Amino acid sequence: MTQGKPDSIPNSRKVWTTLITNTKYLSGLLTLEYALRKVGSKYPLLVLYTETFEQEGHEALDNRGIHKKRIEYLLPKAHKDYQNDVRFYDCWSKLQPFSLFEFDRVVQLDSDMVVVQNMDELMDLQLNDETAVFAASHACVCNPYNKAHYPSNWHKENCAYTSYKPIALEDKTQAHHNHVVGPSSKTGLGICNGGLQVVNPSPKNYNKIVNALENPSLTSSYDFADQSLLSDVFEGRWLPLSYKYNALKTLRTIHRDIWSDDEVKNVHYIITPKPWDVRSLPDRDSHDDTGTFHFWFKLDDARLADEKSAGIYDGF
């Protein structure tokens, strides 16, 4: 497949990364990159793309000067059927940041996220191979849309956020636990959400991931691809982050007691529709049942205006 300009690797030992395999998520990616700059992050975004990424996508990245690096598409040895959620076929490749040994710290972000407050502190978060191989927020297992193909134990009683009681802001001695760390990784079903992963790349841990992918007896049971694998291979050995770093849009309605618009740093638009799917509609806000799309619309509108002034308009 024809590509645009050669890969461009940032001159930084710490980077944000995001995966893209086709242009369906490109508008989200571009707004994510814009948002990181708008909140004043000191660190660049590196786009990890696979061979399936289209030429027009390369041109969009190149026209905006966004760093990119080709990675190999990662899949388990034995085929896993995700016909009910085809997005999970791509999700295995979100484990590739563990292999980016040229960097000291990688923070992987999904392209359907938007950063609304600076969260550079994640670049300095302490990790170790004994108790905190990587950091991530919990998956919400409430299954609010009652998806029939989700595991039977995915319900509110088993969600780590259901019993979580945030520590009061005025309790300064425990502020760290309220604002950086979330519920214990052993709480609820102990499953992380793979949308944001704080990683120190290392051959040791990447080999553990590859070995799991080579084991059909393991991957056949992974209902949610990358996050299932991480939660299994590193069970109880991941640092649980506050929800605010991976604020699933559904948390705003089903876990109102822990959500604060002022505290959220990174909103994650799981499940359809995505904000860019409806951004051009006159009634775009009516397609949002969580009251979170306005975060994305504000930044996307600003991005498009800035790009228009710079003579960039390609429909993304």
Side-chain angles (χ1 to χ4, degrees):
M1 178 178 290
T2 304
Q3 298 179 2
K5 298 176 183 177
D7 287 358
S8 168
I9 311 302
N11 183 25
S12 174
R13 299 296 298 177
K14 300 178 180 181
V15 294
W16 309 101
T17 60
T18 194
L19 170 72
I20 194 160
T21 61
N22 58 65
T23 56
K24 291 179 181 178
Y25 275 56
L26 186 53
S27 294
L29 184 157
L30 297 177
T31 301
L32 171 64
E33 191 274 339
Y34 179 84
L36 284 166
R37 288 188 286 114
K38 291 297 285 186
V39 301
S41 177
K42 297 186 299 182
Y43 305 99
L45 176 71
L46 174 61
V47 175
L48 306 177
Y49 70 90
T50 60
E51 65 179 357
T52 57
F53 188 49
E54 299 93 335
Q55 169 68 14
E56 59 183 337
H58 282 283
E59 293 174 355
L61 296 181
D62 296 340
N63 289 338
R64 293 165 175 82
I66 297 175
H67 298 288
K68 63 179 183 177
K69 175 183 173 69
R70 177 174 171 169
I71 61 167
E72 294 303 315
Y73 201 85
L74 204 58
L75 285 171
K77 181 177 181 180
H79 175 72
K80 170 72 175 177
D81 186 3
Y82 287 120
Q83 62 178 347
N84 290 312
D85 255 321
V86 294
R87 60 195 170 97
F88 285 123
Y89 291 121
D90 288 344
C91 285
W92 299 109
S93 298
K94 285 162 49 179
L95 297 166
Q96 288 289 32
F98 282 84
S99 72
L100 301 179
F101 309 135
E102 63 268 42
F103 301 109
D104 296 328
R105 171 60 52 88
V106 173
V107 181
Q108 169 76 11
L109 303 171
D110 274 2
S111 294
D112 58 350
M113 289 178 157
V114 69
V115 178
V116 295
Q117 292 192 59
N118 186 293
M119 55 183 192
D120 281 0
E121 63 270 20
L122 294 180
M123 294 295 182
D124 297 315
L125 198 64
Q126 294 298 306
L127 299 176
N128 64 77
D129 277 355
E130 299 302 319
T131 60
V133 176
F134 67 96
S137 300
H138 272 273
C140 172
V141 302
C142 291
N143 191 12
Y145 296 109
N146 298 311
K147 291 183 176 288
H149 63 281
Y150 276 28
S152 60
N153 61 352
W154 274 54
H155 50 75
K156 194 173 184 68
E157 290 73 17
N158 285 336
C159 185
Y161 293 122
T162 298
S163 58
Y164 180 56
K165 303 298 180 186
I167 298 166
L169 287 170
E170 59 269 17
D171 188 347
K172 302 299 183 183
T173 61
Q174 296 295 320
H176 173 77
H177 293 283
N178 192 41
H179 298 292
V180 177
V181 179
S184 165
S185 60
K186 299 179 182 179
T187 304
L189 298 182
I191 300 175
C192 68
N193 182 282
L196 181 147
Q197 305 165 26
V198 182
V199 174
N200 290 346
S202 79
K204 175 184 175 181
N205 291 322
Y206 184 64
N207 286 339
K208 289 181 179 179
I209 290 170
V210 172
N211 288 339
L213 289 170
E214 291 289 315
N215 188 340
S217 66
L218 292 178
T219 56
S220 63
S221 66
Y222 293 159
D223 293 308
F224 298 95
D226 60 311
Q227 65 188 41
S228 294
L229 184 151
L230 290 173
S231 302
D232 178 35
V233 173
F234 303 110
E235 181 180 2
R237 296 171 54 213
W238 52 278
L239 179 67
L241 295 175
S242 166
Y243 82 95
K244 72 179 183 179
Y245 294 108
N246 187 354
L248 312 176
K249 70 176 186 180
T250 51
L251 295 183
R252 195 174 186 272
T253 54
I254 61 178
H255 289 292
R256 297 176 184 273
D257 55 327
I258 67 170
W259 181 286
S260 168
D261 281 356
D262 293 334
E263 184 176 71
V264 163
K265 291 200 167 190
N266 178 39
V267 184
H268 188 180
Y269 296 100
I270 59 171
I271 310 176
T272 55
K274 306 298 184 182
W276 58 88
D277 293 331
V278 300
R279 68 178 177 186
S280 299
L281 301 179
D283 60 342
R284 65 185 188 178
D285 291 314
S286 68
H287 296 270
D288 170 25
D289 62 356
T290 62
T292 62
F293 279 22
H294 68 92
F295 293 109
W296 194 89
F297 289 150
K298 179 179 179 180
L299 282 157
D300 186 59
D301 288 345
R303 172 179 73 85
L304 293 175
D306 285 354
E307 290 178 355
K308 183 177 181 180
S309 296
I312 298 174
Y313 183 76
D314 49 23
F316 295 112

